[in-house]
Amino acid sequence: MTIYDQLGVRRVLNAAGALTAVGGGLLPDEVIDAMRDAGRSYVDMHEFHAAVGKHLAELTHNEAAFVTSGCAAAVALGTLAAITEGDPRLIVKMPEGEGLRTEVVIHHAHRTPYDAAVRMAGGRLVQIGNSYQTFEWELEAAITPRTALVLWLDGTDMGHGGLDLATTVRIAHARGVPVLVDAAAQLPPHTNLWRYTRDTGADAAVFSGGKHLRGPQSSGLMVGTEAFIAAARANASPYQRLARALKPGKENIAGLVRAVELFLARDHGAVEQRWEAEVSEWAEGLTAVPGVVARRSWPNEAGQAIPRLRVSVRDAGRRDAVVAALWERTPRVHVLRGSDPFDFYLTPETLAEGEHGVVLEAVVSELVAHA
Ligand SMILES: *Cc1c(COP(=O)(O)O)cnc(C)c1O
């Protein structure tokens, strides 16, 4: 019996995407095994972090890597790394950061609720541009002797109003300021693990372990230069400093390592083909329902090469009723509302083996019930 059954909490069939609110991702057995095995011994956490960092750096073609307790935690640690450069005399001044360079430049087009992690770590956000456009001179003018970092976000959901990463890196580095990329949900493609950093020159990039990597929900990955990662580590657990509050456990670290290994070893082409087949099957089943148009949509909401199904019902009331009724089923079925009031989306990516048929039955039955 799972704890969900024991406590009477309904399970969710997640056809909406990698979302923290429904538990992140599903862990492969190998990840669970790695966590269980790691939980059975004590270990020197400094030594473990160093060995894991070296292994993950090799796997991801970066100089260095570090496991955090999530991507938001990694953004906070990146902020602390940039402000303190790992100097213990400066680390103790955080989060107030009196007398330190604490400004973090961010494109208006890249603002998300997650950038609160910068402020939590003592960074002060300085916004440039607007949601449509940003000019190079705006970034140049925003960088001053108070600037610690430029935070750059990836994802088509970020809009196209920001400078590209190469331009951002060129302008920031010419002024001695590091660039951190928040790429929480930008896997696949797996090449993003080295594209932002090794290929484009960002100092570090951070990813959620609990989203597309299918690692522990409380895990994150930071990859980048030796200097930036060392500065992040100096702020982090097991040290008893500010970011001790963002501690990943040995089990989370072990699980994330296994998840990265599995992600890189995966036959991404075969997985994509399975997703395409499931989306086609859904499209066929749902097009048969009166008043419903169901079409493959690509890429997904985060700009990833993952197919999903767009279901249009041409009636906002019907859309909302169906989405709500799916959520109230046992188990719950979670689908994603589109920005268009008549649409919702189904993604095959986050479902477990065999669940796509159950989801199809549920969606058909609620569309019929709310005709
Ligand atoms: C999900 C997300 C985060 C937070 O990641 P966690 O691993 O849940 O801490 C940060 N930034 C962006 C852009 C995200 O999408």
Side-chain angles (χ1 to χ4, degrees):
M1 187 192 247
T2 67
I3 189 166
Y4 308 125
D5 297 330
Q6 181 194 338
L7 301 181
V9 177
R10 267 180 277 179
R11 283 193 320 120
V12 176
L13 304 186
N14 176 17
L19 301 166
T20 288
V22 291
L26 298 180
L27 308 192
D29 286 345
E30 293 95 323
V31 171
I32 294 168
D33 291 346
M35 295 178 76
R36 194 194 48 229
D37 294 347
R40 288 186 167 146
S41 317
Y42 295 103
V43 70
D44 177 330
M45 289 302 289
H46 287 289
E47 186 186 350
F48 187 38
H49 263 296
V52 160
K54 187 163 176 286
H55 178 52
L56 288 175
E58 278 165 17
L59 282 176
T60 64
H61 310 300
N62 281 278
E63 280 177 32
F66 186 62
V67 178
T68 67
S69 57
C71 189
V75 170
L77 271 174
T79 302
L80 287 166
I83 293 172
T84 67
E85 294 180 341
D87 183 339
R89 292 166 300 180
L90 307 190
I91 289 173
V92 293
K93 295 191 181 190
M94 299 309 294
E96 293 81 4
E98 216 170 303
L100 306 184
R101 299 172 295 124
T102 55
E103 291 186 0
V104 175
V105 177
I106 188 169
H107 287 82
H108 174 105
H110 291 181
R111 294 300 309 271
T112 71
Y114 305 108
D115 57 41
V118 170
R119 293 188 290 125
M120 188 187 97
R124 292 200 303 120
L125 288 166
V126 172
Q127 196 169 293
I128 55 168
N130 56 55
S131 61
Y132 288 7
Q133 61 190 179
T134 311
F135 297 102
E136 292 188 19
W137 63 262
E138 291 178 292
L139 176 56
E140 290 163 2
I143 296 178
T144 72
R146 294 183 303 277
T147 308
L149 180 70
V150 177
L151 177 61
W152 193 93
L153 269 81
D154 199 16
T156 48
D157 47 339
M158 292 301 130
H160 299 281
L163 298 171
D164 65 41
L165 181 59
T167 304
T168 302
V169 167
R170 172 173 55 75
I171 293 172
H173 282 185
R175 289 157 183 79
V177 171
V179 176
L180 174 67
V181 175
D182 178 349
Q186 297 304 310
L187 297 169
H190 61 286
T191 47
N192 278 350
L193 288 167
W194 50 89
R195 185 170 66 85
Y196 308 111
T197 45
R198 186 195 71 177
D199 296 350
T200 316
D203 296 79
V206 293
F207 303 88
S208 279
K211 290 180 179 168
H212 307 277
L213 282 171
R214 296 181 63 191
Q217 195 180 5
S218 293
S219 69
L221 173 64
M222 180 187 283
V223 297
T225 64
E226 201 86 67
F228 197 92
I229 302 276
R233 264 186 76 188
N235 282 276
S237 178
Y239 292 112
Q240 294 141 322
R241 296 170 177 160
L242 177 70
R244 175 59 170 267
L246 306 173
K247 171 175 69 182
K250 60 189 183 303
E251 306 80 9
N252 296 55
I253 296 169
L256 191 271
V257 169
R258 197 73 194 100
V260 172
E261 289 170 351
L262 291 171
F263 182 76
L264 285 170
R266 192 183 293 170
D267 181 345
H268 293 277
V271 173
E272 252 179 79
Q273 270 178 17
R274 199 184 71 229
W275 289 338
E276 291 289 3
E278 293 183 0
V279 167
S280 299
E281 213 171 297
W282 278 342
E284 231 169 87
L286 289 174
T287 302
V289 180
V292 175
V293 177
R295 282 206 196 94
R296 172 184 179 272
S297 154
W298 190 97
N300 74 358
E301 74 285 356
Q304 297 169 283
I306 297 174
R308 47 182 192 152
L309 189 74
R310 177 178 182 164
V311 185
S312 306
V313 294
R314 301 210 178 96
D315 172 344
R318 185 183 185 197
R319 193 276 308 255
D320 288 343
V322 168
V323 171
L326 285 167
W327 181 252
E328 284 313 323
R329 292 172 72 97
T330 303
R332 296 184 189 277
V333 175
H334 194 33
V335 300
L336 198 67
R337 279 185 168 80
S339 45
D340 180 315
F342 312 124
D343 294 344
F344 63 88
Y345 290 86
L346 304 178
T347 181
E349 188 211 354
T350 40
L351 289 168
E353 189 109 358
E355 284 180 352
H356 83 282
V358 184
V359 167
L360 176 60
E361 266 176 46
V363 174
V364 168
S365 111
E366 296 302 345
L367 280 166
V368 169
H370 300 86

Short mmCIF file of all heavy atoms in Angstrom, two decimals, residues 297-323:
data_model
loop_
_atom_site.label_atom_id
_atom_site.label_comp_id
_atom_site.label_asym_id
_atom_site.label_seq_id
_atom_site.Cartn_x
_atom_site.Cartn_y
_atom_site.Cartn_z
N SER A 297 0.26 18.83 -31.82
CA SER A 297 0.85 20.15 -31.68
C SER A 297 2.32 19.97 -31.32
O SER A 297 2.67 19.05 -30.58
CB SER A 297 0.07 20.89 -30.58
OG SER A 297 0.84 21.87 -29.97
N TRP A 298 3.17 20.82 -31.87
CA TRP A 298 4.62 20.65 -31.71
C TRP A 298 5.31 21.98 -31.97
O TRP A 298 4.91 22.66 -32.90
CB TRP A 298 5.11 19.61 -32.72
CG TRP A 298 6.51 19.13 -32.56
CD1 TRP A 298 6.93 18.00 -31.93
CD2 TRP A 298 7.70 19.76 -33.06
NE1 TRP A 298 8.30 17.88 -32.01
CE2 TRP A 298 8.79 18.96 -32.69
CE3 TRP A 298 7.95 20.95 -33.77
CZ2 TRP A 298 10.11 19.29 -33.02
CZ3 TRP A 298 9.25 21.28 -34.09
CH2 TRP A 298 10.32 20.44 -33.72
N PRO A 299 6.30 22.43 -31.25
CA PRO A 299 6.79 21.82 -30.01
C PRO A 299 5.85 22.06 -28.84
O PRO A 299 4.78 22.64 -29.03
CB PRO A 299 8.13 22.54 -29.78
CG PRO A 299 7.92 23.90 -30.39
CD PRO A 299 7.01 23.69 -31.56
N ASN A 300 6.24 21.64 -27.64
CA ASN A 300 5.34 21.80 -26.49
C ASN A 300 5.41 23.20 -25.90
O ASN A 300 6.08 24.09 -26.45
CB ASN A 300 5.62 20.72 -25.43
CG ASN A 300 6.90 20.97 -24.66
OD1 ASN A 300 7.63 21.94 -24.91
ND2 ASN A 300 7.19 20.13 -23.70
N GLU A 301 4.75 23.43 -24.79
CA GLU A 301 4.62 24.77 -24.22
C GLU A 301 5.97 25.36 -23.80
O GLU A 301 6.12 26.58 -23.73
CB GLU A 301 3.64 24.76 -23.04
CG GLU A 301 4.14 24.13 -21.73
CD GLU A 301 4.21 22.60 -21.74
OE1 GLU A 301 3.79 21.98 -22.74
OE2 GLU A 301 4.71 22.03 -20.76
N ALA A 302 6.96 24.50 -23.53
CA ALA A 302 8.28 25.01 -23.14
C ALA A 302 9.23 25.05 -24.33
O ALA A 302 10.42 25.27 -24.18
CB ALA A 302 8.85 24.17 -22.00
N GLY A 303 8.69 24.81 -25.55
CA GLY A 303 9.53 24.88 -26.75
C GLY A 303 10.32 23.61 -26.99
O GLY A 303 11.24 23.60 -27.81
N GLN A 304 9.98 22.53 -26.30
CA GLN A 304 10.74 21.29 -26.47
C GLN A 304 10.17 20.45 -27.60
O GLN A 304 8.96 20.52 -27.87
CB GLN A 304 10.67 20.48 -25.17
CG GLN A 304 11.29 21.19 -24.01
CD GLN A 304 10.95 20.46 -22.74
OE1 GLN A 304 9.85 20.57 -22.22
NE2 GLN A 304 11.89 19.69 -22.25
N ALA A 305 11.04 19.63 -28.19
CA ALA A 305 10.64 18.77 -29.30
C ALA A 305 9.85 17.57 -28.78
O ALA A 305 10.25 16.43 -28.94
CB ALA A 305 11.87 18.31 -30.07
N ILE A 306 8.74 17.86 -28.13
CA ILE A 306 7.89 16.81 -27.58
C ILE A 306 6.49 17.04 -28.16
O ILE A 306 5.93 18.13 -27.99
CB ILE A 306 7.84 16.89 -26.03
CG1 ILE A 306 9.25 16.66 -25.46
CG2 ILE A 306 6.84 15.90 -25.47
CD1 ILE A 306 9.34 16.87 -23.95
N PRO A 307 5.94 16.04 -28.88
CA PRO A 307 4.61 16.24 -29.45
C PRO A 307 3.55 16.16 -28.36
O PRO A 307 3.74 15.48 -27.35
CB PRO A 307 4.47 15.05 -30.41
CG PRO A 307 5.30 13.96 -29.78
CD PRO A 307 6.46 14.67 -29.12
N ARG A 308 2.47 16.87 -28.55
CA ARG A 308 1.33 16.73 -27.63
C ARG A 308 0.05 16.90 -28.44
O ARG A 308 0.12 17.22 -29.65
CB ARG A 308 1.42 17.72 -26.46
CG ARG A 308 1.73 19.12 -26.88
CD ARG A 308 1.85 20.04 -25.70
NE ARG A 308 1.87 21.41 -26.20
CZ ARG A 308 1.47 22.48 -25.55
NH1 ARG A 308 1.00 22.35 -24.32
NH2 ARG A 308 1.51 23.67 -26.09
N LEU A 309 -1.08 16.70 -27.82
CA LEU A 309 -2.35 16.79 -28.54
C LEU A 309 -3.09 18.03 -28.09
O LEU A 309 -3.28 18.26 -26.89
CB LEU A 309 -3.21 15.55 -28.27
CG LEU A 309 -4.44 15.49 -29.17
CD1 LEU A 309 -4.05 15.09 -30.59
CD2 LEU A 309 -5.48 14.52 -28.62
N ARG A 310 -3.51 18.83 -29.09
CA ARG A 310 -4.32 20.01 -28.79
C ARG A 310 -5.78 19.64 -29.03
O ARG A 310 -6.16 19.24 -30.13
CB ARG A 310 -3.90 21.15 -29.72
CG ARG A 310 -4.72 22.40 -29.54
CD ARG A 310 -4.20 23.46 -30.48
NE ARG A 310 -4.93 24.71 -30.30
CZ ARG A 310 -4.51 25.88 -30.74
NH1 ARG A 310 -3.36 25.96 -31.38
NH2 ARG A 310 -5.22 26.96 -30.56
N VAL A 311 -6.58 19.76 -27.99
CA VAL A 311 -7.99 19.40 -28.08
C VAL A 311 -8.81 20.69 -28.03
O VAL A 311 -8.78 21.41 -27.03
CB VAL A 311 -8.40 18.47 -26.91
CG1 VAL A 311 -9.84 17.99 -27.08
CG2 VAL A 311 -7.45 17.28 -26.79
N SER A 312 -9.52 20.99 -29.12
CA SER A 312 -10.32 22.22 -29.18
C SER A 312 -11.80 21.88 -29.14
O SER A 312 -12.25 20.99 -29.88
CB SER A 312 -10.04 22.97 -30.49
OG SER A 312 -8.66 23.18 -30.63
N VAL A 313 -12.53 22.57 -28.26
CA VAL A 313 -13.96 22.29 -28.16
C VAL A 313 -14.82 23.49 -28.54
O VAL A 313 -16.04 23.42 -28.51
CB VAL A 313 -14.34 21.79 -26.74
CG1 VAL A 313 -13.70 20.44 -26.47
CG2 VAL A 313 -13.96 22.78 -25.67
N ARG A 314 -14.21 24.63 -28.88
CA ARG A 314 -14.91 25.83 -29.37
C ARG A 314 -15.95 26.36 -28.39
O ARG A 314 -16.93 26.97 -28.80
CB ARG A 314 -15.59 25.54 -30.72
CG ARG A 314 -14.62 25.10 -31.80
CD ARG A 314 -15.10 25.51 -33.18
NE ARG A 314 -14.13 25.12 -34.19
CZ ARG A 314 -14.23 23.99 -34.90
NH1 ARG A 314 -15.23 23.16 -34.73
NH2 ARG A 314 -13.31 23.71 -35.80
N ASP A 315 -15.74 26.09 -27.12
CA ASP A 315 -16.70 26.57 -26.12
C ASP A 315 -15.95 26.59 -24.78
O ASP A 315 -15.59 25.54 -24.25
CB ASP A 315 -17.90 25.59 -26.09
CG ASP A 315 -18.86 25.88 -24.94
OD1 ASP A 315 -18.50 26.62 -24.00
OD2 ASP A 315 -20.00 25.36 -24.99
N ALA A 316 -15.71 27.80 -24.27
CA ALA A 316 -14.87 27.94 -23.07
C ALA A 316 -15.52 27.24 -21.88
O ALA A 316 -14.83 26.63 -21.05
CB ALA A 316 -14.63 29.42 -22.76
N GLY A 317 -16.86 27.32 -21.78
CA GLY A 317 -17.56 26.70 -20.65
C GLY A 317 -17.38 25.19 -20.68
O GLY A 317 -17.12 24.56 -19.64
N ARG A 318 -17.47 24.61 -21.88
CA ARG A 318 -17.31 23.16 -22.01
C ARG A 318 -15.87 22.78 -21.68
O ARG A 318 -15.64 21.80 -20.97
CB ARG A 318 -17.67 22.73 -23.44
CG ARG A 318 -17.66 21.22 -23.61
CD ARG A 318 -17.93 20.84 -25.05
NE ARG A 318 -18.04 19.39 -25.21
CZ ARG A 318 -17.94 18.77 -26.38
NH1 ARG A 318 -17.76 19.47 -27.48
NH2 ARG A 318 -18.05 17.46 -26.44
N ARG A 319 -14.92 23.54 -22.19
CA ARG A 319 -13.51 23.25 -21.90
C ARG A 319 -13.27 23.21 -20.39
O ARG A 319 -12.71 22.26 -19.85
CB ARG A 319 -12.63 24.32 -22.57
CG ARG A 319 -11.13 24.00 -22.63
CD ARG A 319 -10.30 24.34 -21.41
NE ARG A 319 -10.40 25.67 -20.87
CZ ARG A 319 -9.47 26.62 -21.02
NH1 ARG A 319 -8.41 26.38 -21.75
NH2 ARG A 319 -9.61 27.80 -20.43
N ASP A 320 -13.74 24.27 -19.70
CA ASP A 320 -13.49 24.35 -18.26
C ASP A 320 -14.19 23.22 -17.50
O ASP A 320 -13.64 22.66 -16.55
CB ASP A 320 -13.93 25.70 -17.71
CG ASP A 320 -13.00 26.82 -18.14
OD1 ASP A 320 -11.85 26.50 -18.58
OD2 ASP A 320 -13.38 28.00 -18.07
N ALA A 321 -15.41 22.87 -17.95
CA ALA A 321 -16.16 21.79 -17.27
C ALA A 321 -15.43 20.46 -17.43
O ALA A 321 -15.35 19.66 -16.49
CB ALA A 321 -17.58 21.72 -17.83
N VAL A 322 -14.92 20.20 -18.63
CA VAL A 322 -14.24 18.93 -18.90
C VAL A 322 -12.94 18.84 -18.09
O VAL A 322 -12.66 17.82 -17.44
CB VAL A 322 -13.95 18.77 -20.41
CG1 VAL A 322 -12.98 17.62 -20.68
CG2 VAL A 322 -15.26 18.57 -21.18
N VAL A 323 -12.17 19.93 -18.09
CA VAL A 323 -10.89 19.93 -17.37
C VAL A 323 -11.15 19.73 -15.86
O VAL A 323 -10.46 18.94 -15.20
CB VAL A 323 -10.10 21.24 -17.63
CG1 VAL A 323 -8.89 21.34 -16.73
CG2 VAL A 323 -9.68 21.30 -19.11
#
